[in-house]
Every structure is written in structure tokens, then in C-alpha cells.
Amino acid sequence: MGNSDEKEKKADDGTTPVAEYEGQGFRLVDGDNSKPIVEKNEAEIKKRAIAYMKDTYKTDVKVNNVVPARDAAVVKVEAEEPIEFHTSVIVGLDMQKKELYPSGSVHSQEGEVESAIVSGLYAKAYEAEFKRLDLFAEKEAEKYDLQGLNQKTIDKTQSSGYQHSYYFIPTSIAFDDVYNAYISNPKINQAEIRKLFLKEDENFKKRTYRSSILQ
């Protein structure tokens, strides 16, 4: 978040006000070296990222950005149904041949997509509560003249799971039952998801209680 006074900044000071930034100039390490390959093969890179999410995580996504990186393209993707989240897929490049590998070489950072899915599931399980949080955050932002990230910035640069202009939901793949239930049935309903979260939370409290006794 940034103060809305940033809107008064001029372009020649080398910065972009938060309200105006929409992901332009977003870069990753050694992206300049892979940029020509990525630009030439962007359509295929997007296709592979979408297929990877569908095959591996049973989730349909859309591509918001393809970012050149070291020996790879990092694809920023977004799921909208049945849950909402942002994450990244990595498509490897053959830098010696200056082309995509014939097949495969698509992966993600360990645990990143899984955590993003759990984040989206948490937002769905507590949908009513998050709607109230959204209203509170917007009122506080107006009251204190705060500026959150705009949607285009989130779409093009973020991989934090479920994310709002003023917050995101950090979670862990430790919610195994919740994650596995979704992978088994992506159409799992809201009530069942919430029930699983409550169960895992209760189990965590029990483990913590036993640990405190043993100490």
C-alpha cells in the first residue's frame, strides 16, 4: 500500500505512483537474455502453462503475463472458477538452441501452486467473512487516504494465491486434507471445504496442546 499523495509524483523522478502502476517493466533475473525466445514462442508457452495447470492441478486458468527469466519463461496465471487465485508456471527454454524444448520442461516452484490453491479454497470457505473484510479495507483506505495495488498489477506480477487490493491470504500446503479433497473433486462445495478447514484447525490445536503438555 502507498499513500495517495504518490499521485503527485512526476514521471521524471524515476518512480511510478502505486495507483498508476500496472505491471509495466516487470522483470526477472536474466530476462533480457531469454526475451527473444519468449517473444517468438509466447503462444506455445501460454498453451503449455494452461495445460500444466489443467493436467497437474485439475484447474482451468487464464494467462495474465509471460515474463522472460533465466533459462525460462515465468507465466503468471489466474484461476477464476471454481476458486480464485494467482500463481506462476515455469516453462523451460533451451538457451543453446534458442528455442523451447520439444516437450515437457514445465514445472512450478515447490509448493507454490499448492499453497495458492489452498489460499483460494480458504477464501471460498469463508466467502461471507471476506466480503465484510473487503468493505472494511475499502472504508479504511478511504478514511486514511491509502492506495492499494490495482487489479492489473496483481494479475501481471503476483503469485500469492488469493489476493485483494489491500491484502492476500498466505497459507500452507500443510492443509493436506483440504488440498487433496479439491484435487479429487474440484467442484467440492463451499460447506464441505469449510468443514475440512475447521477439522484441520481443530487437529492443529490438539497437536499444539499435546506439545505444550510434553514441554
Side-chain angles (χ1 to χ4, degrees):
M1 293 187 292
N3 192 282
S4 60
D5 287 344
E6 289 188 3
K7 294 178 182 178
E8 303 301 321
K9 289 182 179 294
K10 297 181 179 180
D12 60 6
D13 70 0
T15 65
T16 301
V18 172
E20 298 175 12
Y21 183 66
E22 297 183 346
Q24 61 269 30
F26 183 67
R27 298 180 181 180
L28 295 173
V29 176
D30 286 347
D32 290 342
N33 293 332
S34 60
K35 185 176 180 179
I37 308 173
V38 172
E39 290 180 341
K40 181 180 178 181
N41 297 279
E42 185 169 328
E44 177 62 21
I45 290 170
K46 290 180 178 180
K47 182 179 177 181
R48 292 187 184 187
I50 290 170
Y52 172 79
M53 288 297 298
K54 183 66 173 179
D55 295 342
T56 309
Y57 298 104
K58 310 299 186 294
T59 303
D60 292 314
V61 298
K62 66 178 182 179
V63 173
N64 290 327
N65 201 8
V66 179
V67 188
R70 178 177 293 169
D71 303 336
V74 175
V75 187
K76 300 293 183 179
V77 300
E78 176 185 2
E80 298 176 303
E81 291 291 341
I83 57 174
E84 300 177 37
F85 64 87
H86 290 79
T87 192
S88 297
V89 174
I90 301 168
V91 179
L93 308 175
D94 187 333
M95 297 302 295
Q96 291 187 336
K97 294 184 178 180
K98 305 295 182 183
E99 62 185 26
L100 292 179
Y101 286 107
S103 62
S105 194
V106 183
H107 62 285
S108 55
Q109 294 284 358
E110 184 177 359
E112 183 175 278
V113 177
E114 292 85 349
S115 294
I117 288 173
V118 174
S119 175
L121 289 167
Y122 193 81
K124 183 173 182 176
Y126 295 92
E127 183 177 7
E129 288 84 350
F130 278 107
K131 284 183 178 179
R132 291 198 293 271
L133 176 59
D134 292 346
L135 290 173
F136 171 78
E138 288 161 8
K139 287 181 180 179
E140 292 298 293
E142 183 177 358
K143 179 179 179 180
Y144 294 104
D145 199 19
L146 300 174
Q147 175 65 53
L149 294 178
N150 62 56
Q151 191 60 48
K152 287 188 177 180
T153 301
I154 294 171
D155 292 342
K156 291 187 176 182
T157 69
Q158 301 300 300
S159 304
S160 302
Y162 182 88
Q163 183 156 359
H164 184 270
S165 181
Y166 298 104
Y167 67 85
F168 67 96
I169 304 175
T171 60
S172 168
I173 190 55
F175 291 99
D176 293 329
D177 289 347
V178 180
Y179 172 77
N180 291 330
Y182 172 80
I183 294 299
S184 297
N185 176 24
K187 294 183 180 180
I188 184 172
N189 64 53
Q190 182 185 43
E192 186 62 26
I193 296 170
R194 184 162 180 148
K195 181 179 178 181
L196 288 169
F197 270 115
L198 290 170
K199 180 180 177 182
E200 294 219 32
D201 184 53
E202 186 62 30
N203 289 338
F204 174 77
K205 290 178 180 178
K206 288 179 180 178
R207 290 195 298 270
T208 304
Y209 176 71
R210 292 194 194 102
S211 177
S212 64
I213 291 176
L214 291 174
Q215 290 177 2

